[in-house]
Amino acid sequence: MVGILVGCHPPNNPPHTDNEKEGVLSIEKFLSNIPISDVDLNDFPYLKVPKGAKSTNENICENCTFIFYLDSLNKIPVKGRVFSAMLEQDPANNFEITTYYVIKNITDQVSTLGGIKVFEGDVLPPMDESVKDNTTWRLNLKDNSHVSSYLIRRGESNIHISVATNHIPKLQLIVVESKESVH
């Protein structure tokens, strides 16, 4: 995992891989560098909608597989309980939201819950048919979509959070509580 991962990888440098030619990332090695959070969590999906925003098109999918971006090139399938929603301006509120505001709000919430931002940057939609065939939930990405990825490591599970900002003025939020990575 890359990006703004303090103490593990400098921003914008690829993570250590076990096989540099094939770009195979050792998830176990990466996870061992992330502290386990014991912070009390709210109810699933654990995050609150930022002030001035509203959540629409909410869906929950049990035992589904989702593609989680570790950096602009590496992604892994994670399996678990998936929450998906669109975040947009609440017309009933005069407080105007921006993409920066929503990302900062989610980053702050994840940090408070003992998690980290592992990546923020532009990604390409999954082109690989095997990725499409082996997932039940994906970010709705367009060419050169901007994605922020977060991870909260728990003793019994990992919480993967992704925000795609290519839907301006809406942002897509996905939260996955996963007991396992799918390899």
Side-chain angles (χ1 to χ4, degrees):
M1 297 184 185
V2 196
I4 308 169
L5 180 57
V6 179
C8 291
H9 304 289
N12 301 320
N13 286 341
H16 170 74
T17 58
D18 289 337
N19 183 341
E20 294 295 335
K21 286 184 180 179
E22 294 179 20
V24 177
L25 181 66
S26 170
I27 301 307
E28 291 76 20
K29 284 183 184 177
F30 175 78
L31 287 175
S32 69
N33 290 319
I34 299 173
I36 295 175
S37 171
D38 60 359
V39 174
D40 289 335
L41 299 176
N42 300 319
D43 293 333
F44 184 79
Y46 312 118
L47 301 176
K48 296 177 183 169
V49 175
K51 177 184 174 186
K54 70 176 185 174
S55 178
T56 61
N57 298 339
E58 292 183 1
N59 291 294
I60 292 181
C61 179
E62 300 292 342
N63 201 31
C64 292
T65 305
F66 170 73
I67 295 299
F68 182 75
Y69 282 85
L70 303 171
D71 60 33
S72 59
L73 300 174
N74 292 294
K75 51 195 170 289
I76 59 167
V78 291
K79 187 174 186 175
R81 186 176 194 193
V82 178
F83 169 85
S84 174
M86 298 302 285
L87 301 178
E88 60 185 87
Q89 178 74 42
D90 184 349
N93 193 323
N94 291 331
F95 180 78
E96 183 176 345
I97 66 167
T98 64
T99 299
Y100 172 80
Y101 168 78
V102 173
I103 295 296
K104 177 159 180 13
N105 182 285
I106 290 172
T107 302
D108 291 347
Q109 287 186 66
V110 168
S111 179
T112 299
L113 296 174
I116 61 168
K117 181 185 279 186
V118 295
F119 168 70
E120 182 173 351
D122 294 335
V123 299
L124 294 172
M127 303 294 191
D128 184 348
E129 289 301 317
S130 68
V131 168
K132 292 179 184 178
D133 293 343
N134 293 315
T135 58
T136 49
W137 213 267
R138 292 182 296 279
L139 288 170
N140 184 12
L141 300 177
K142 299 175 183 174
D143 289 340
N144 293 321
S145 293
H146 195 79
V147 172
S148 298
S149 297
Y150 305 85
L151 179 64
I152 302 170
R153 186 172 177 219
R154 305 289 290 177
E156 68 284 354
S157 64
N158 293 314
I159 301 165
H160 304 267
I161 301 164
S162 296
V163 180
T165 59
N166 60 310
H167 302 281
I168 303 300
K170 299 178 182 182
L171 290 85
Q172 185 181 19
L173 169 68
I174 296 193
V175 178
V176 182
E177 183 168 29
S178 175
K179 306 280 187 209
E180 62 183 283
S181 292
V182 180
H183 301 335

